[in-house]
Amino acid sequence: MSKLKQLLAQPDNRICADCGAPDPKWASTSIGVFICIKCCGVHRSLGVQISKVVSVTLDSWSEDDIAIMEAVGGNAAANSVYEACLPPDVQKPTADASVEERTDWIIRKYKDQEFLKPALRIKTALQSNSSARTSVHNTSSRHNISSSPSLVRNNKVDASLGRSQHSTASAGRSLHEGSSQAASRSGWTSLSDNSTSSPNKSMAGMVEFLGMLKVRIVRGIGLAVRDLLSSDPYVVVTLGQQVLKTRVINRSLNPVWNEEIILSVPSPPQPLKLQVFDKDVFSADDIMGDAEVDLNPLILAAQMHEGMFEEYGCEQIGRWLATSDNALVKDSNIEVIDGLIKQDIHLKLQNVEKGELVLSLEWVPLSQ
């Protein structure tokens, strides 16, 4: 991680590339910029086909992610390309900008690419009722632009990035590879696509985010049989328009996933939805139950104790009670452990003959 620390130490990377907020803790590894948590929420709404967002402090970075960030060169280098043709009457948002101002700016800058030199612009076909595909418009053979939204070209990069042909080509090849390899290593697969969740200019990012949620799917217990003697289960996690699934565990009724993701939590908070499926090869996957997690107890407890976490070593600050109206097997305590807000949850799967799911949540407030 020494290379990442070196990147973060650059003066231009100490402020958000989009609004100038100090000490950004997030990055878009497909674009090559460091951003604050408020701009991060808008980036996530664009979808990973445009901006793949990771945490500087909470996520594990792959070598490909770091290589891409190095190839781009930092916020100043990226902005010299993405804002190359910024009209004098267009102002960048500031650190205290509204969600609407950030959304308008980020969509225009990265999705619509309004401020790029025309020869570098990449058109993406985003249609609500068709599958998403990135289409690259080559103006000529010498403008052989990679289909990645990072604007790193196969043969050469814009001179303002100051990168060699070799490093640029390597970065261009690794953009999509790095994204898919990172997902493969983590076990998670994104099920969101442009047909259901891609933003348009009037709606994308028009959501105030309360914070981020780390979700660890730990294990299943006594799941239902859907094959001859066993099942091949996986879990689909949904929060708003964010939909991801774990890897498949073959032939197990007590699978251990122990996989973790980070999700943006919109305001007002929506329930975290979980569905367990049995993977089938020759037919549709069979449902193995579902459950919902009410995030309000966790968020309210965190907000009530905001700014006080340094005073706690390990202490309970709230509880989500098991009732007939929810899927809890037992009461779920909300605790501060070494300054981190955590909640372990044991759920009984609904709409199925049997099966339980164990997961762990960690709340990441906007201040981090």
Side-chain angles (χ1 to χ4, degrees):
M1 297 293 285
S2 59
K3 292 182 179 179
L4 179 58
K5 290 181 179 178
Q6 291 174 4
L7 284 168
L8 287 167
Q10 292 179 201
D12 58 316
N13 292 339
R14 293 180 181 176
I15 62 173
C16 174
D18 292 324
C19 74
D23 196 25
K25 291 293 194 299
W26 299 84
S28 171
T29 56
S30 56
I31 295 172
V33 292
F34 292 95
I35 53 178
C36 70
I37 193 168
K38 292 184 178 180
C39 290
C40 162
V42 183
H43 273 259
R44 280 178 178 271
S45 73
L46 299 179
V48 294
Q49 76 280 359
I50 295 178
S51 184
K52 177 195 169 190
V53 178
V54 297
S55 168
V56 171
T57 56
L58 301 173
D59 286 329
S60 297
W61 283 53
S62 68
E63 293 182 2
D64 290 325
D65 289 336
I66 294 176
I68 294 166
M69 300 295 288
E70 286 185 309
V72 173
N75 287 357
N79 282 344
S80 70
V81 175
Y82 281 98
E83 301 173 13
C85 299
L86 185 66
D89 59 336
V90 175
Q91 298 296 318
K92 292 183 64 169
T94 59
D96 59 352
S98 66
V99 176
E100 290 77 11
E101 290 172 322
R102 291 175 198 275
T103 299
D104 182 69
W105 168 258
I106 290 171
I107 290 176
R108 294 176 70 183
K109 181 177 177 180
Y110 300 112
K111 179 176 177 287
D112 296 342
Q113 302 170 8
E114 287 188 20
F115 315 128
L116 283 170
K117 293 178 181 178
L120 290 179
R121 290 175 185 165
I122 304 169
K123 301 297 183 183
T124 55
L126 301 180
Q127 298 179 356
S128 59
N129 294 319
S130 64
S131 61
R133 295 184 179 274
T134 303
S135 70
V136 182
H137 293 254
N138 296 326
T139 56
S140 68
S141 60
R142 64 187 179 88
H143 288 145
N144 183 21
I145 303 175
S146 165
S147 62
S148 166
S150 74
L151 302 180
V152 180
R153 294 190 280 174
N154 291 331
N155 296 326
K156 63 180 181 177
V157 74
D158 189 275
S160 59
L161 287 176
R163 295 296 167 191
S164 67
Q165 294 180 11
H166 174 74
S167 64
T168 299
S170 299
R173 285 193 299 271
S174 67
L175 282 169
H176 289 305
E177 294 170 2
S179 180
S180 61
Q181 289 171 4
S184 175
R185 282 192 293 270
S186 68
W188 288 94
T189 302
S190 174
L191 299 183
S192 301
D193 59 32
N194 290 332
S195 65
T196 58
S197 62
S198 64
N200 57 48
K201 190 159 185 176
S202 63
M203 296 181 66
M206 292 298 185
V207 178
E208 186 71 56
F209 289 97
L210 296 172
M212 313 298 284
L213 184 71
K214 293 179 72 172
V215 180
R216 180 177 292 276
I217 303 298
V218 181
R219 61 194 177 104
I221 302 173
L223 300 182
V225 175
R226 287 293 179 267
D227 296 329
L228 183 60
L229 298 174
S230 186
S231 296
D232 303 315
Y234 65 90
V235 182
V236 174
V237 179
T238 303
L239 181 58
Q241 293 185 345
Q242 303 158 94
V243 186
L244 295 101
K245 74 170 185 176
T246 66
R247 71 186 188 279
V248 176
I249 304 293
N250 293 321
R251 296 180 296 280
S252 178
L253 300 180
N254 298 284
V256 177
W257 290 283
N258 202 30
E259 296 178 16
E260 187 175 85
I261 51 168
I262 300 179
L263 301 169
S264 304
V265 179
S267 176
Q270 301 175 26
L272 180 72
K273 299 181 180 180
L274 304 137
Q275 295 175 294
V276 182
F277 289 91
D278 168 55
K279 180 65 177 178
D280 285 327
V281 177
F282 301 108
S283 61
D285 295 352
D286 297 318
I287 186 71
M288 298 175 65
D290 57 76
E292 287 191 358
V293 175
D294 183 359
L295 298 179
N296 283 292
L298 174 64
I299 296 171
L300 290 173
Q303 291 175 340
M304 288 177 63
H305 295 82
E306 188 173 2
M308 302 167 59
F309 303 127
E310 295 77 5
E311 303 174 10
Y312 300 102
C314 178
E315 186 168 333
Q316 180 180 326
I317 61 172
R319 177 180 294 179
W320 182 27
L321 299 177
T323 68
S324 59
D325 296 328
N326 59 45
L328 283 177
V329 172
K330 58 183 179 180
D331 292 351
S332 174
N333 292 334
I334 301 163
E335 301 174 311
V336 175
I337 303 175
D338 296 329
L340 303 177
I341 312 159
K342 296 190 174 185
Q343 182 180 16
D344 293 331
I345 298 175
H346 191 163
L347 298 168
K348 179 177 176 57
L349 293 172
Q350 308 295 296
N351 304 308
V352 68
E353 60 269 29
K354 65 174 185 174
E356 299 173 4
L357 196 62
V358 178
L359 62 148
S360 178
L361 307 181
E362 180 183 325
W363 177 249
V364 183
L366 289 175
S367 57
Q368 293 192 15

